[in-house]
Amino acid sequence: MFGIKALKLKEITATAAKLALLGGSIATMGGTRTLKLNTEIKQHTLIVRIEGEVDLHVADLFRERVDAALEQAGVHNLLLNLARVSFIDSSGLGVILGRYKRVSQLGGKMFAVELQPQVEKIFEISGLLRIIKLYSTEKQALQSA
């Protein structure tokens, strides 16, 4: 039975990945949770506006979508707008840390803006605020890019 569940999860993941790369929403586990990503390029910076929960169920898709957008845009700076992120777990933090390393290796900078108090607390406890600059608005972050 575990094999069947794993197979169905892979099918769901593959379908969600295709949707994500096409700019759609990433839906997880019966449609009860969604993660929406909106990307835009401004001032040589990829802006990713995230909505929903960034957890184990969507981490791989989040990583794939951001990596694809970075490659397509050809930019080295990354700005994450987390205003509508209600929850993040260690998987989500891992994806963000991985994108930080990637951007840093390319000589770019990474910024985060508009964190909800509970998400900011997790960033603080994890140490991400020591390496990722936090700004109140996208405009402020873009001015420092």
Side-chain angles (χ1 to χ4, degrees):
M1 185 153 93
F2 181 73
I4 292 171
K5 286 183 181 179
L7 179 61
K8 287 186 179 189
L9 182 57
K10 284 182 183 180
E11 291 171 5
I12 292 168
T13 301
T15 301
K18 289 175 188 172
L19 282 173
L21 292 173
L22 294 172
S25 298
I26 300 170
T28 65
M29 304 313 273
T32 58
R33 288 185 285 173
T34 60
L35 177 70
K36 294 180 183 177
L37 301 175
N38 178 318
T39 58
E40 179 182 0
I41 306 295
K42 276 189 183 176
Q43 297 174 231
H44 306 289
T45 301
L46 174 65
I47 301 170
V48 181
R49 295 180 189 95
I50 308 159
E51 183 178 338
E53 296 183 359
V54 184
D55 61 14
L56 173 66
H57 300 290
V58 297
D60 288 338
L61 301 172
F62 176 44
R63 177 185 308 108
E64 290 170 12
R65 174 91 187 271
V66 172
D67 284 350
L70 280 168
E71 284 182 33
Q72 289 174 357
V75 297
H76 302 304
N77 297 326
L78 177 61
L79 188 159
L80 300 177
N81 185 322
L82 301 161
R84 294 180 179 229
V85 173
S86 57
F87 175 79
I88 188 165
D89 70 4
S90 60
S91 299
L93 293 174
V95 171
I96 291 172
L97 180 60
R99 294 329 90 215
Y100 169 80
K101 288 179 181 178
R102 181 175 179 187
V103 166
S104 294
Q105 289 173 346
L106 296 171
K109 298 178 183 177
M110 186 166 173
F111 316 99
V113 299
E114 300 187 46
L115 277 68
Q116 295 294 320
Q118 67 275 17
V119 174
E120 185 173 352
K121 185 71 173 169
I122 292 170
F123 268 57
E124 182 182 333
I125 292 168
S126 70
L128 279 180
L129 289 183
R130 285 183 255 150
I131 60 172
I132 298 174
K133 294 286 276 180
L134 181 61
Y135 292 91
S136 298
T137 66
E138 289 181 9
K139 184 177 179 179
Q140 288 175 342
L142 289 170
Q143 288 173 343
S144 72

